[in-house]
Amino acid sequence: RELLGALVLRRRRYQLPGVVRRSRDCLVRPRSRRITHARGSLQSMGLRVPPGSAEAFFKRAKPIVPPELNAALGPVLKMIEQLHKQIASYDRRIEGLAKDEYRAAQLLTQINGVGALTAVAFVVTLGDADRFARSRTVGAWLGLPPSPGAAGPATPHLQRPHEGQPPLRTPRARTATAIGLPVLRPRRPPPPRH
């Protein structure tokens, strides 16, 4: 009796966009760290960078940097600008994938709060949709919670947006935030009583 089924590798068509997405993520994290460093360094000097998007941070911060900090923060701001340009090129590539190669992703981007990155991640993670007998199994496989009341009068345990298939955890949490759903943290067990 066989306990495990055969391991089926994803086709290259579904693997390559994942590499693009992960490469983009490898640039987003260092940009965030550098922005936090620059913002904190300026705040320690009593200066404040106006709030706004990470994409325009270097434009807002550059005029605020005093001459005595320019030698220290100038290269950091240039690195933030370079990282932004590289991230933007990945974003254009992902949008091209959604437009040209993954037509199903175009349908998903019509949903408010779902961008090309989330749509391509969904389509690529799902892979061949024909392997699912019913559409309900897709949601369960991806780790999406059922809607409240869908299982009857008892409230089922709803999974959180950061659970489920790893390639969709972050995009799903961003989408939930964009459409106004709370992104819940995992429940921690109560502390032991003594």
Side-chain angles (χ1 to χ4, degrees):
R1 179 174 151 201
E2 255 184 71
L3 293 178
L4 299 174
L7 177 65
V8 178
L9 295 177
R10 287 191 178 145
R11 285 187 258 158
R12 200 172 272 247
R13 175 179 191 268
Y14 297 119
Q15 289 179 352
L16 292 176
V19 173
V20 172
R21 186 185 49 78
R22 286 189 302 275
S23 297
R24 179 191 180 276
D25 286 347
C26 284
L27 297 178
V28 170
R29 288 188 182 114
R31 180 182 68 177
S32 299
R33 290 187 69 193
R34 284 167 176 79
I35 288 173
T36 302
H37 166 71
R39 190 181 296 278
S41 298
L42 290 170
Q43 282 180 349
S44 70
M45 300 292 285
L47 303 168
R48 187 169 189 272
V49 179
S53 67
E55 290 79 13
F57 177 82
F58 59 92
K59 293 177 187 172
R60 293 188 321 272
K62 205 172 234 182
I64 295 172
V65 176
E68 62 268 14
L69 283 181
N70 201 21
L73 290 180
V76 175
L77 293 178
K78 286 180 185 174
M79 181 64 76
I80 293 170
E81 183 177 9
Q82 290 173 349
L83 287 169
H84 167 65
K85 289 177 182 176
Q86 292 173 346
I87 291 167
S89 72
Y90 278 118
D91 288 341
R92 286 189 298 273
R93 186 163 182 199
I94 289 170
E95 287 171 11
L97 287 170
K99 188 185 229 183
D100 300 332
E101 291 188 38
Y102 300 100
R103 300 280 183 197
Q106 278 186 327
L107 296 173
L108 292 172
T109 58
Q110 294 174 3
I111 300 169
N112 184 26
V114 177
L117 180 66
T118 304
V120 170
F122 180 85
V123 171
V124 168
T125 302
L126 189 63
D128 185 18
D130 294 334
R131 61 192 172 124
F132 297 100
R134 298 179 344 172
S135 62
R136 300 181 112 198
T137 57
V138 173
W141 186 80
L142 291 172
L144 299 172
S147 61
T155 305
H157 168 69
L158 300 179
Q159 290 188 355
R160 308 302 191 244
H162 63 274
E163 295 177 350
Q165 293 294 318
L168 283 179
R169 287 179 192 158
T170 303
R172 204 169 60 217
R174 282 191 204 122
T175 300
T177 303
I179 62 175
L181 297 176
V183 178
L184 303 173
R185 300 289 172 227
R187 286 185 234 152
R188 292 186 180 160
R193 295 184 182 186
H194 292 75

